Amino acid sequence: MKRKRKKLKPIIKLVILVCGFLLIKQFLQSPVTTEQISTSVRSPDPYSNVKKYSTQINDELAKYGLEEYTVTLIALMQQESRGQGGDPMQSSESAGLAPNTINEPSESIEQGVKHFKRMIEHGKKKDVDFPTILQSYNMGIGYINFIAKSGGKHTEDLAKQFSKLQVEKNPTLYDCGGNKENFRYPYCYGDYTYSSKVASNIDALSDSVPALGDKEQTGEAF
């Protein structure tokens, strides 16, 4: 009996070793997903503040039959203020007031829509492209007249030329706050990159708010 037990011990050890090896192999081959070892983190929506004003903007535009430009106005607001403050459309100056005089968002939207409506109507009259309209929200109706005499199509070089003309009229006012490191310097009247920035916002918003998208809001001509 003692001899049989001695013979069994090596066999039992071998079985245990084989089973252990198979268990380790199976564990190593099991896929480990990132969900098992970490929690996914979602980036906050950079347009969340302006999207809150979507209905107000749409309703205000609808008064003039311009509700198809809802995404455009949301994109403009994003560029102006990211939906923050009492004048999120930064429309005080378009009403002949000092910057940030308007301190009620609904009033800001009302004036911003009126300003945009004026740019749209004048832009169509002068037969300029849509990027010119976007730029004119920032640079004023004079930019439309300038582009109409310069081929009818907006470019950043033309926006710089227009900005320079306005700076020369009032160099102490339009000096980028005296900051020569400002990317706009010395073209300190408005932002010559404004149209492309708004167009980028429109593209992003058209993807996230597809029901409000429209081809006229993507920067194409009228």
Side-chain angles (χ1 to χ4, degrees), residues 77-176:
M77 181 187 282
Q78 176 71 9
Q79 189 56 37
E80 292 292 338
S81 69
R82 288 170 174 74
Q84 299 174 351
D87 187 7
M89 291 300 299
Q90 291 292 289
S91 55
S92 295
E93 291 176 88
S94 69
L97 305 171
N100 296 308
T101 299
I102 295 173
N103 55 21
E104 174 54 49
S106 60
E107 185 181 344
S108 176
I109 291 170
E110 182 180 351
Q111 176 57 35
V113 168
K114 285 180 180 178
H115 179 52
F116 179 74
K117 173 179 175 286
R118 188 182 177 212
M119 300 304 106
I120 282 284
E121 291 175 345
H122 195 64
K124 288 183 176 180
K125 180 180 178 182
K126 291 293 185 178
D127 195 27
V128 298
D129 64 356
F130 193 67
T132 298
I133 300 302
L134 297 180
Q135 189 70 36
S136 69
Y137 188 91
N138 174 256
M139 286 186 161
I141 203 166
Y143 184 68
I144 293 175
N145 297 330
F146 177 79
I147 293 299
K149 296 175 182 178
S150 305
K153 294 185 181 295
H154 161 80
T155 67
E156 287 191 3
D157 283 340
L158 287 172
K160 284 181 178 180
Q161 291 177 35
F162 182 76
S163 178
K164 186 178 179 182
L165 290 172
Q166 305 312 306
V167 170
E168 289 172 352
K169 293 177 183 177
N170 199 336
T172 56
L173 178 61
Y174 304 118
D175 65 348
C176 294

